[in-house]
Amino acid sequence: MPFRSIYLIFSILLFLNSCFLIKIPVPLKKQPITNSVNVYHFIISSNKNKIADTTLANSFIRESKKAYDWISEEASKKKQRLSFKEHWPDNKDTNLKNTFIHKLPSNSVQRLYLKNYFKVVTRKKTKKQEEKIEKVNWKTALFDSIAKQIKDTSIYNIIKKRNLNRSVTPNQLIVIHLIKAKKSKINGFYSGGETYIGHNKSRTIAHESIHYLGAPDLYIHKYWFDKRRRLVKKELRQEVMNTGIGKNYDCITYYISDYTAHTIGWTQEPEKKYKPLLKQNLMAKFVFFISLIL
């Protein structure tokens, strides 16, 4: 093997090794979110033939209520006052408490998590016209579609404001429920004051909503091989910010640990054994991201 190739391989290995050693502090919420949070729910379909009937809509409402009641109870255990006021806005075309969007680019949570844009292809109608390919931000397109179908002026203004200003609005959370989301390696994700749910069960809704409160994912540590990995796998298996256990989708069988409570500002100091978790490994986060693609 040529010396240059050996040197290149050695340099890459050295670089990767250094990346594995880099640890960054986990962001901590200095002031916890308290009092009442307004939660605006929207049930979304990318297919006009797959919309929610009353039974499905009621199951989403039931699972969501269970999740937010449970979070409030967990907050109370830590002497925090936190409640959620849920809103299910009507749309213009149905009596169900849902908004249906038929132009969502994908119902795959994984795809929406990994990609910010989708392509819209306008076919040429005549031989003289050229095919037009437009790159569209899917969040912008989604919120534009929601706004067009909203009856309530106040909700309309919230959605339009959110589309213009992507910053997080205090004590306001928007939850997007995807109907029959395709199976993927993730059940949902949180992004900038918005929670996207593909697996509409109380544990998933609770997990993603606690991200809004400021909590990081615990399972990231499982993509490493030190004491943090052992701690998460052995002692925090039933923690809500870890990966779920089997087909147990009921949030009330999980708990919010002293560590997660500390990250969202509910406690001043975590237990001593959890302090190693206050730093994350950058390479572990990268490995997790790659695992979603492969």
Side-chain angles (χ1 to χ4, degrees):
M1 183 181 292
F3 177 76
R4 285 186 178 181
S5 298
I6 296 174
Y7 178 77
L8 179 62
I9 293 172
F10 177 78
S11 298
I12 292 173
L13 290 174
L14 185 63
F15 172 73
L16 290 174
N17 186 58
S18 65
C19 289
F20 279 122
L21 296 175
I22 296 174
K23 296 177 183 178
I24 58 172
V26 168
L28 302 178
K29 200 85 171 178
K30 293 182 180 180
Q31 292 294 328
I33 295 173
T34 56
N35 299 319
S36 180
V37 175
N38 283 299
V39 184
Y40 298 94
H41 296 270
F42 301 94
I43 299 179
I44 307 302
S45 174
S46 61
N47 187 333
K48 64 182 179 181
N49 295 320
K50 293 180 180 179
I51 59 176
D53 55 19
T54 305
T55 301
L56 183 58
N58 286 339
S59 73
F60 287 0
I61 293 169
R62 182 177 62 253
E63 291 294 313
S64 296
K65 185 178 187 307
K66 180 186 288 188
Y68 292 113
D69 285 349
W70 176 80
I71 295 174
S72 295
E73 289 174 9
E74 290 292 298
S76 180
K77 291 177 185 177
K78 302 293 184 182
K79 297 180 169 49
Q80 298 291 324
R81 295 181 63 183
L82 179 64
S83 62
F84 297 88
K85 186 177 180 181
E86 297 185 72
H87 308 267
W88 295 81
D90 294 336
N91 81 349
K92 294 177 180 178
D93 304 316
T94 177
N95 292 323
L96 293 175
K97 294 182 179 180
N98 310 317
T99 297
F100 299 109
I101 310 301
H102 306 310
K103 295 182 180 179
L104 188 68
S106 174
N107 65 342
S108 167
V109 186
Q110 183 167 318
R111 181 180 174 188
L112 300 184
Y113 175 80
L114 295 173
K115 294 184 178 182
N116 291 324
Y117 295 90
F118 64 98
K119 291 181 179 179
V120 174
V121 180
T122 304
R123 304 293 179 185
K124 53 187 179 181
K125 296 180 180 179
T126 66
K127 291 183 179 179
K128 293 182 179 180
Q129 291 178 320
E130 295 184 358
E131 186 175 83
K132 182 181 178 182
I133 301 177
E134 185 180 3
K135 195 176 182 182
V136 179
N137 182 290
W138 68 263
K139 280 191 180 181
T140 301
L142 172 60
F143 278 79
D144 279 343
S145 297
I146 291 176
K148 290 176 183 177
Q149 298 187 64
I150 293 297
K151 287 180 179 179
D152 191 317
T153 304
S154 62
I155 304 295
Y156 173 85
N157 290 334
I158 288 171
I159 294 300
K160 293 299 289 184
K161 183 179 178 181
R162 176 59 62 90
N163 227 6
L164 292 172
N165 180 12
R166 302 308 302 180
S167 61
V168 179
T169 304
N171 290 71
Q172 182 187 105
L173 175 63
I174 291 179
V175 182
I176 306 295
H177 301 266
L178 301 176
I179 294 179
K180 296 185 178 180
K182 293 178 181 177
K183 292 182 179 179
S184 68
K185 296 178 182 178
I186 55 176
N187 294 322
F189 67 95
Y190 171 79
S191 175
E194 300 145 15
T195 292
Y196 297 82
I197 305 294
H199 189 259
N200 287 284
K201 298 296 182 181
S202 63
R203 184 205 163 271
T204 302
I205 296 167
H207 174 103
E208 301 305 336
S209 297
I210 295 172
H211 279 312
Y212 161 75
L213 300 179
D217 284 313
L218 261 173
Y219 58 77
I220 292 295
H221 295 292
K222 293 163 73 171
Y223 288 84
W224 193 228
F225 49 77
D226 63 358
K227 60 184 176 182
R228 290 173 298 160
R229 173 188 171 91
R230 294 191 295 273
L231 182 62
V232 169
K233 292 191 71 174
K234 184 178 179 180
E235 297 196 28
L236 297 170
R237 291 181 70 248
Q238 206 87 7
E239 221 274 18
V240 72
M241 300 313 292
N242 199 352
T243 48
I245 298 177
K247 294 184 177 181
N248 182 2
Y249 305 130
D250 193 336
C251 65
I252 65 173
T253 62
Y254 292 83
Y255 70 99
I256 295 177
S257 70
D258 185 58
Y259 162 75
T260 293
H262 177 64
T263 65
I264 59 182
W266 286 2
T267 61
Q268 292 298 314
E269 287 290 332
E271 291 181 42
K272 186 177 179 180
K273 63 180 178 180
Y274 294 143
K275 287 191 175 181
L277 299 175
L278 293 176
K279 288 188 176 181
Q280 285 186 348
N281 181 274
L282 284 176
M283 204 61 183
K285 295 184 75 172
F286 176 72
V287 172
F288 163 70
F289 184 80
I290 293 299
S291 74
L292 297 179
I293 301 173
L294 299 178

